[in-house]
Amino acid sequence: SMSIIYGVFSASNLVSPSVVAVAGPQLSMVLSGVFYSLYIAVFIQPATWAFYTASVFIGIAAAVLWTAQGNCLTVNSDENTIGRNSGVFWALLQSSLFFGNLYIYFAWQGKTHISESDRRTVFIALTVISLVGTVLFFLIRKQEDTKAPGEEDSASEILEDSSVIRSSINFQYFVFTEKSIKLSFTKEMLLLSVTTAYTGLELTFFSGVYGTCIGAVNRFGSEEKSLIGLSGIFIGVGEILG
């Protein structure tokens, strides 16, 4: 699943700027959030075909969501606040690791087997929380909300005519895709790709491999499942403090 998600995610990043440019960051985040919720909901009653299919869709949705969030952060920040706003965003994002795993640590303590009831309880709760979070994207202010009174928006004026909308969509799609490809081969992005590749390996390790290994160590006895949550708590604390 992780291989499918990140493979599709990587490929979709080439076109995600065009999607966000056409649909707008707010709508892009809402639609992507729905697919995230569907992916979580698959675990309520797992089926192999649904699991792999959802992995493909969430890979596409992830590319659009991250691009839209980056766009939203940028248009609502300036050079003095972008660092702070990005830090706040990341801390809020990683707080899910802390609170979610805190529940797992206490709820699964002393269990050597995770029952269907245990699994459903967790994933029904996570699906509801995800849907609520998706709805809250509607409350994020749009770029035009931050403009001073009387300030003209030439883009909005151009897009009033429906025939112009269609030609503008096609134009933006190809322009943003071309820019994405060109940007990936600049010196700065090639240098950054080294640390990005390391980050990918590290993410795979702590989000997929490490917790699974802990849960499979029989020597931990009845604590092995709850220790997955404890591991996640400390990873979350580190991410938030960082």
Side-chain angles (χ1 to χ4, degrees):
S1 174
M2 293 282 282
S3 299
I4 293 170
I5 289 171
Y6 282 97
V8 175
F9 182 18
S10 299
S12 299
N13 271 308
L14 291 173
V15 296
S16 59
S18 305
V19 175
V20 175
V22 172
Q26 189 176 53
L27 182 59
S28 297
M29 288 190 287
V30 171
L31 293 176
S32 300
V34 170
F35 283 105
Y36 266 78
S37 301
L38 288 174
Y39 178 77
I40 299 169
V42 166
F43 291 92
I44 297 173
Q45 188 59 49
T48 304
W49 67 269
F51 182 48
Y52 288 137
T53 303
S55 298
V56 173
F57 282 118
I58 199 179
I60 300 170
V64 175
L65 181 65
W66 278 98
T67 304
Q69 287 173 334
N71 178 278
C72 187
L73 272 171
T74 302
V75 299
N76 287 294
S77 306
D78 55 37
E79 60 182 9
N80 297 316
T81 60
I82 186 66
R84 179 202 65 191
N85 293 347
S86 298
V88 170
F89 163 75
W90 190 259
L92 289 171
L93 170 71
Q94 300 297 356
S95 66
S96 62
L97 281 170
F98 177 78
F99 293 109
N101 283 293
L102 191 65
Y103 169 79
I104 294 297
Y105 177 66
F106 288 109
W108 291 3
Q109 205 158 30
K111 293 187 177 183
T112 55
H113 175 72
I114 307 304
S115 67
E116 283 197 16
S117 175
D118 293 330
R119 186 191 68 243
R120 284 175 179 163
T121 299
V122 170
F123 285 105
I124 288 173
L126 291 176
T127 302
V128 172
I129 292 169
S130 178
L131 287 170
V132 170
T134 299
V135 172
L136 290 177
F137 280 137
F138 282 114
L139 301 180
I140 294 177
R141 66 181 182 180
K142 298 178 182 177
Q143 184 178 4
E144 55 264 29
D145 296 338
T146 65
K147 294 185 178 183
E151 188 178 350
E152 293 184 355
D153 188 347
S154 57
S156 296
E157 292 174 0
I158 293 173
L159 293 176
E160 285 178 359
D161 183 69
S162 59
S163 61
V164 178
I165 289 178
R166 286 191 294 273
S167 60
S168 176
I169 286 173
N170 292 329
F171 176 72
Q172 288 187 70
Y173 178 83
F174 289 108
V175 167
F176 278 92
T177 301
E178 184 184 16
K179 283 184 176 180
S180 297
I181 295 171
K182 285 182 177 178
L183 180 64
S184 65
F185 288 101
T186 60
K187 183 182 75 173
E188 290 80 6
M189 290 305 297
L190 289 173
L191 289 170
L192 190 61
S193 67
V194 177
T195 53
T196 304
Y198 169 75
T199 304
L201 290 171
E202 178 68 11
L203 175 66
T204 302
F205 178 73
F206 83 69
S207 65
V209 178
Y210 189 58
T212 306
C213 289
I214 290 174
V217 177
N218 294 330
R219 186 174 293 184
F220 289 143
S222 61
E223 299 300 315
E224 64 181 23
K225 302 307 180 192
S226 64
L227 287 177
I228 299 173
L230 189 63
S231 165
I233 289 171
F234 280 104
I235 291 172
V237 169
E239 291 281 350
I240 294 166
L241 292 176

